[in-house]
Amino acid sequence: FHRLYEQLKVELVGSGVHAGSVSPGVVDTEGLWDHVQLARDQHLPHVAYFDQAQKEGQIRHPDLAAEFILYLLQKTSDEEFSKQEWKLNDKSHWNLWHPNMKKSNS
């Protein structure tokens, strides 16, 4: 999807239409764990990726992903939203929207 975002950014210049890209990373859902279990049963190598992500705390709660996406859609301008790919795991912007960071900065 990132390549499509990059292509649209170029093609839409001057059109007044903005394309954005959001990468929530791995989100803790029932479907995720169903997939991991099926992959584990089949001894597929990408199970190690999910095991590592879980060990490192990189699997995010759905509410956190939703909070991030709501911030981007409601609180950023079209220009700000479309200037980069927004990654949930990039903590440099957490002080703007993350519930725990906002509380500590209030």
Side-chain angles (χ1 to χ4, degrees):
F1 291 113
H2 183 74
R3 286 186 60 159
L4 176 60
Y5 159 69
E6 290 293 335
Q7 180 180 341
L8 287 172
K9 250 176 60 168
V10 172
E11 290 181 6
L12 295 172
V13 169
S15 71
V17 176
H18 298 272
S21 182
V22 179
S23 176
V26 181
V27 179
D28 187 354
T29 65
E30 184 178 324
L32 169 69
W33 297 116
D34 288 346
H35 172 80
V36 170
Q37 187 57 52
L38 288 171
R40 192 177 309 282
D41 293 346
Q42 296 295 316
H43 307 287
L44 297 177
H46 69 280
V47 170
Y49 169 81
F50 293 108
D51 290 342
Q52 188 68 27
Q54 185 176 27
K55 180 179 174 185
E56 294 176 359
Q58 295 298 312
I59 299 177
R60 304 296 182 193
H61 192 277
D63 290 346
L64 188 65
E67 189 85 25
F68 175 55
I69 294 167
L70 280 172
Y71 165 77
L72 292 172
L73 294 175
Q74 295 178 343
K75 303 293 183 182
T76 62
S77 67
D78 292 343
E79 292 78 12
E80 184 180 9
F81 178 62
S82 63
K83 74 178 177 182
Q84 68 183 34
E85 179 176 42
W86 292 86
K87 297 183 179 195
L88 176 57
N89 289 332
D90 174 4
K91 295 181 180 182
S92 69
H93 49 67
W94 281 21
N95 63 314
L96 301 173
W97 64 270
H98 193 286
N100 295 339
M101 299 289 285
K102 283 174 34 180
K103 289 177 186 172
S104 66
N105 289 338
S106 299

